[in-house]
Amino acid sequence: MLKLFKHNIQPVSELSSAQTAVEVNALNLWFGDKHVLKDITMRIPKNKVTALIGQSGCGKSTLINCFNRLNDLYDGCQYKGEVIIDGKNINSKKTNVSRLRAKVGMVFQRPNPFPMSIYENVCYGLKLQGVRERRNLDDAVESALKQAALWDEVKDRLFEPAMTLSGGQQQRLVIARALSLKPEVLLLDEPTSALDPLTTLFIEELMESLKKQCTIVIVTHNMQQAARVSDYTAFFHQGKLVEYADSDTLFTMPEKKQTEDYITGRYG
Ligand SMILES: Nc1ncnc2c1ncn2[C@@H]1O[C@H](COP(=O)(O)OP(=O)(O)OP(=O)(O)O)[C@@H](O)[C@H]1O
Ligand SMILES: [Mg+2]
């Protein structure tokens, strides 16, 4: 079960560079002339779960898409400011974007398995990276499926189409696909909003175990979920970071009235 009390939680203001997985400095982003992210500065701590919360349209997805340069796919998107991962500003022209996307994995709201077998889904990225030896692929597939807590359910049907899995199994498959590349950061954009409560709990427990090996950033509209799974929570409003703190503090003693109104359901 999930831990009720979280340990080793430092105030965000005291996080050193060494404890930071993603450092965001004065990040601004525009879609056309619409200013969507406004001067965001924050440090996302390593090997912790950080939740991003805020009203629909406040920029949560856009922000995490900045962590693996997914916004580059949109014409008319412009950004300035820094996103530092492993000591390098990934917004630099020199960034190898496919290597970055292997390092910073992403899982979306709706499970999106590829139309191929369970096995092929999990080793897709490794094959793209040139891994060919069957034994290496077998080992990687088994290990990623075990980490995603799916192995026992699929080990006898690895070569069946991924589409034959249930929604919750598909979401764990997509998580396994991201984990096969051993990401440093895993971005989860409302990963459980299309799932039933039991599967949701299952994925929440998975996050708790995964943070030993990677940093997790989760976008969620579910306040209980944010309070349950995250070590830190950031609240955004209209493209601005309003408040960012360890989750116990943010949910029990928010500094700003706007945060309090949001987490208590007075708006949003
Ligand atoms: N590709 C795009 N082109 C133009 N505008 C966009 C694009 N993507 C997002 N936006 C706009 O940027 C703003 C922030 O959107 P974003 O998807 O980041 O919000 P969000 O906080 O994730 O919302 P939700 O909780 O509904 O998912 C919105 O006003 C949205 O309409
Ligand atoms: Mg979103």
Side-chain angles (χ1 to χ4, degrees):
M1 279 307 286
L2 290 168
K3 278 186 294 179
L4 283 177
F5 297 101
K6 295 162 187 153
H7 301 288
N8 303 321
I9 297 301
Q10 266 180 299
V12 276
S13 57
E14 289 175 18
L15 290 168
S16 67
S17 294
Q19 293 167 312
T20 301
V22 184
E23 181 175 338
V24 183
N25 287 329
L27 183 67
N28 283 273
L29 181 144
W30 294 260
F31 284 118
D33 54 10
K34 190 167 177 187
H35 195 181
V36 171
L37 295 179
K38 298 171 185 160
D39 222 23
I40 309 283
T41 294
M42 67 190 294
R43 287 184 164 185
I44 298 202
K46 265 186 194 157
N47 294 99
K48 302 282 186 224
V49 178
T50 299
L52 310 186
I53 62 170
Q55 264 175 313
S56 181
C58 70
K60 305 175 296 295
S61 297
T62 305
L63 178 62
I64 61 170
N65 289 348
C66 289
F67 299 168
N68 63 2
R69 297 263 305 259
L70 225 51
N71 292 309
D72 290 13
L73 303 175
Y74 302 113
D75 287 340
C77 173
Q78 284 190 305
Y79 46 84
K80 66 174 197 199
E82 292 180 329
V83 176
I84 297 171
I85 298 178
D86 285 338
K88 295 203 182 90
N89 179 14
I90 63 157
N91 288 344
S92 147
K93 287 200 173 65
K94 286 189 226 142
T95 302
N96 177 327
V97 176
S98 39
R99 211 174 295 154
L100 171 70
R101 290 186 186 148
K103 192 153 58 170
V104 183
M106 183 106 180
V107 171
F108 299 92
Q109 181 174 13
R110 303 222 165 255
N112 59 342
F114 302 143
M116 50 185 76
S117 71
I118 295 168
Y119 183 96
E120 291 295 331
N121 260 278
V122 181
C123 63
Y124 186 83
L126 288 170
K127 282 192 168 174
L128 277 185
Q129 288 184 348
V131 180
R132 286 281 169 269
E133 298 75 20
R134 185 63 194 227
R135 240 192 82 195
N136 292 347
L137 293 172
D138 286 353
D139 289 349
V141 167
E142 179 171 343
S143 154
L145 286 169
K146 281 184 172 161
Q147 284 169 23
L150 187 58
W151 175 250
D152 288 339
E153 287 158 73
V154 300
K155 62 177 188 287
D156 300 321
R157 49 186 289 203
L158 291 174
F159 297 97
E160 286 179 24
M163 300 300 177
T164 61
L165 297 172
S166 75
Q169 288 172 330
Q170 287 185 14
Q171 197 59 310
R172 281 177 284 150
L173 178 71
V174 172
I175 293 174
R177 190 172 68 197
L179 292 176
S180 71
L181 298 173
K182 301 205 184 318
E184 287 171 25
V185 181
L186 188 59
L187 308 172
L188 304 167
D189 197 348
E190 300 186 54
T192 62
S193 58
L195 304 178
D196 69 84
L198 204 63
T199 318
T200 296
L201 197 64
F202 205 84
I203 298 220
E204 288 180 6
E205 289 182 1
L206 185 60
M207 278 184 246
E208 180 67 27
S209 65
L210 287 179
K211 72 181 184 187
K212 290 185 199 86
Q213 65 216 49
C214 63
T215 298
I216 296 180
V217 183
I218 177 177
V219 172
T220 179
H221 281 281
N222 180 329
M223 293 306 110
Q224 285 79 16
Q225 177 168 67
R228 265 195 312 266
V229 303
S230 69
D231 302 297
Y232 293 88
T233 299
F235 168 60
F236 295 85
H237 185 68
Q238 294 181 350
K240 289 192 182 141
L241 176 60
V242 175
E243 189 162 350
Y244 180 34
D246 62 275
S247 301
D248 289 344
T249 304
L250 190 126
F251 284 103
T252 56
M253 290 175 290
E255 253 180 32
K256 307 249 169 75
K257 177 147 186 332
Q258 210 172 16
T259 313
E260 188 181 342
D261 286 351
Y262 184 75
I263 62 177
T264 54
R266 250 166 264 162
Y267 73 88

